[in-house]
Amino acid sequence: MPFVPHTADDRETMLRRVGVASVEELFLDVPEARRFPTLELPPPLSEPEVLAELAQLAHRNWNLDQHPCFLGAGAYNHFVPSVVKHVLSRGEFYTAYTPYQPEVSQGTLQAIFEYQSLICDLTGMDAANASHYDGATALAEALIMALSVHRGRRRKGVISRTVHPEYRQTARTYTQGMGLELTGDEQPGLSLPDLAGIVDEDTAAVVIQVPDFLGAVPSLDEVRLLADAAHQAGALLVVAVNPISLGLLQPPGEYGADIVVGEGQPLGNHLSFGGPYLGFFATRTDHVRRMAGRLVGMTVDLDGNRGYVLTLATREQHIRRERATSNICTNQALNALAAAVYLAAMGPAGLRTVASACYHKAHYAASRVGRLTGYDVLSHRFFHEFVVRCPRPPSEVGGALLAEGIIPGYDLGEAYPELEGCMLLCVTELNTREQIDRLVDVLGAPS
């Protein structure tokens, strides 16, 4: 669209319409001394000088290239292959949104189709949508979908306390006014069998996280028993997962999950000071028409040529609003593309290598931290995060680590009062043995 400036006649017409004599008269409510202040701007700089100054300012932030990071809690520092940025930088894809005439953008649709297919392979499910804002909104949408599957006749959701606390908060915020009662996470220490005991015929969904927020991998037998209890009561089993862990762990589709959600940031998306991220969402064919967002399918035209089409789009723009399962309007297309490129580049063997490196390095770190005087590792079956009870308040421990240039773990007392004094440490494939040994040295140093 060309820039069309207002002419003098345009301005005169507008001023006459609003009943003022001049533009200045529009600003009479602003104190006169503040209307046109003299700005003390520095002298102009050349582009190299501006870049140098911006780089200097940027270096005031800590970055993960310079500082070892042991902080996870839902967002993780993983290696991103160069091919991800290369593909994302192509002009055809470099937009966070999607076209409103989708079938004319076959490349975009194919990218979404590939993303959906890879998420289905990863989770063991039948269909995936084109992503949500983040893992928390994906979980909230799973609960809304469960309500829709039961046509509003069930109003109870059972959710584990070890689901990410911010996911649970988001779910409660999202479902305000829907009459949904979320229960099961109020009491510390409820096991999966305990959750199975509170599932009843009013339960629409049972929600767990694998590995859970504390990094623990629950017993597969207990998960299966919970899935059976949910299904016997007619409820859906929703499983939130860390996608990297699926390089080692069994896909949720194989142990009874009806909906699988999670945060897609570990798949080729940098931490980026907290976002943007993406939430992946997969389900079984039986429920696909209740799924929020949109789904791209593959077909052939009359000449037999392959084509990609917007197959399902339960969005208020495309169907009658009252039939939409949600009013979510967009997805994180560019982040989803990054996830697709990452998964395609890594392949099953590469993902397993990353997951295995995370697992073994985290267990090496836990074994060393556990031998320190005053530290007690509370986790046993875990993936790449573990809980450590500290001899001092985690804030003090974290301060000591920061003073040595190490990014500490998450203070669990912020979300779990029963874990006051505990820190959640995360180790990924990017943490070297030297970094882990240094972490242990600082933790073990006299206070």
Side-chain angles (χ1 to χ4, degrees):
M1 176 183 294
F3 175 68
V4 182
H6 297 127
T7 66
D9 288 343
D10 292 336
R11 290 194 292 273
E12 184 63 29
T13 301
M14 288 189 288
L15 291 173
R16 194 165 51 247
R17 179 67 62 86
V18 299
V20 298
S22 65
V23 173
E24 288 72 18
E25 196 174 331
L26 295 172
F27 296 96
L28 289 180
D29 289 339
V30 180
E32 186 173 358
R34 304 293 183 189
R35 287 180 208 162
F36 304 102
T38 301
L39 301 177
E40 296 180 0
L41 297 175
L45 299 176
S46 66
E47 183 175 348
E49 290 171 326
V50 171
L51 292 175
E53 183 170 338
L54 291 176
Q56 186 179 13
L57 290 172
H59 284 147
R60 293 168 63 182
N61 292 315
W62 280 30
N63 65 72
L64 299 179
D65 293 330
Q66 297 176 327
H67 298 279
C69 177
F70 294 93
L71 177 62
Y76 303 102
N77 182 32
H78 289 289
F79 176 70
V80 178
S82 298
V83 66
V84 174
K85 184 178 179 181
H86 175 74
V87 175
L88 258 60
S89 301
R90 291 180 63 97
E92 306 93 310
F93 294 123
Y94 204 56
T95 170
Y97 205 61
T98 51
Y100 273 96
Q101 294 179 318
E103 274 65 47
V104 301
S105 300
Q106 285 293 296
T108 298
L109 291 186
Q110 181 178 359
I112 293 175
F113 179 81
E114 302 290 356
Y115 162 80
Q116 294 170 175
S117 303
L118 289 161
I119 292 296
C120 288
D121 286 345
L122 193 64
T123 57
M125 304 302 284
D126 301 326
N129 70 12
S131 82
H132 290 297
Y133 299 132
D134 54 24
T137 53
L139 177 65
E141 291 291 344
L143 285 166
I144 295 172
M145 191 176 110
L147 291 177
S148 177
V149 166
H150 292 97
R151 300 181 184 277
R153 299 190 184 99
R154 297 186 177 206
R155 295 294 178 183
K156 178 178 173 183
V158 175
I159 189 166
S160 169
R161 187 172 173 81
T162 55
V163 171
H164 196 305
E166 293 176 356
Y167 287 20
R168 289 184 277 128
Q169 290 176 357
T170 302
R172 285 189 163 89
T173 302
Y174 241 66
T175 57
Q176 285 184 67
M178 294 183 178
L180 176 67
E181 177 201 2
L182 277 178
T183 186
D185 62 338
E186 308 92 341
Q187 300 178 42
L190 283 187
S191 64
L192 296 187
D194 294 331
L195 291 179
I198 58 177
V199 176
D200 57 26
E201 293 184 352
D202 192 37
T203 305
V206 178
V207 186
I208 60 172
Q209 185 170 343
V210 181
D212 64 26
F213 180 72
L214 304 178
V217 179
S219 158
L220 197 56
D221 290 339
E222 290 187 353
V223 174
R224 288 186 187 280
L225 288 174
L226 181 61
D228 290 343
H231 293 154
Q232 286 173 8
L236 304 185
L237 178 66
V238 179
V239 181
V241 294
N242 176 339
I244 296 294
S245 73
L246 297 179
L248 286 180
L249 304 181
Q250 195 168 6
E254 296 182 5
Y255 51 77
D258 298 290
I259 305 172
V260 180
V261 298
E263 174 53 65
Q265 175 272 320
L267 303 175
N269 288 278
H270 291 284
L271 288 171
S272 301
F273 297 97
Y277 294 162
L278 79 150
F280 59 86
F281 189 112
T283 187
R284 299 192 184 281
T285 305
D286 293 346
H287 311 304
V288 70
R289 289 186 178 277
R290 303 281 179 181
M291 182 168 60
R294 58 188 154 183
L295 189 151
V296 172
M298 186 176 68
T299 186
V300 293
D301 63 14
L302 291 175
D303 299 322
N305 298 315
R306 179 187 300 174
Y308 298 91
V309 295
L310 196 57
T311 305
L312 290 175
T314 54
R315 309 167 69 199
E316 68 270 28
Q317 291 102 325
H318 299 286
I319 64 173
R320 285 178 296 178
R321 180 171 296 182
E322 65 273 18
R323 296 189 62 185
T325 57
S326 167
N327 71 347
I328 194 162
C329 301
T330 189
N331 68 299
Q332 303 290 60
L334 200 66
N335 302 80
L337 176 63
V341 177
Y342 177 87
L343 287 171
M346 301 301 288
L351 190 64
R352 182 176 181 83
T353 299
V354 172
S356 180
C358 291
Y359 176 88
H360 288 294
K361 290 186 175 187
H363 282 72
Y364 169 73
S367 68
R368 290 220 53 198
V369 173
R371 290 197 290 269
L372 293 174
T373 302
Y375 289 89
D376 187 12
V377 175
L378 305 184
S379 302
H380 301 289
R381 288 169 49 90
F382 63 91
F383 174 54
H384 71 349
E385 288 178 283
F386 55 95
V387 180
V388 179
R389 186 171 296 284
C390 304
R392 296 175 285 155
S395 58
E396 289 185 19
V397 175
L401 291 169
L402 287 170
E404 295 296 326
I406 299 173
I407 299 174
Y410 176 77
D411 182 353
L412 284 167
E414 295 179 8
Y416 295 89
E418 66 274 21
L419 291 176
E420 188 75 35
C422 294
M423 180 180 284
L424 183 67
L425 287 172
C426 173
V427 181
T428 73
E429 81 279 13
L430 290 181
N431 290 112
T432 65
R433 181 168 184 147
E434 291 73 21
Q435 290 177 356
I436 297 171
D437 291 342
R438 187 155 171 257
L439 167 78
V440 174
D441 291 342
V442 176
L443 290 177
S447 58

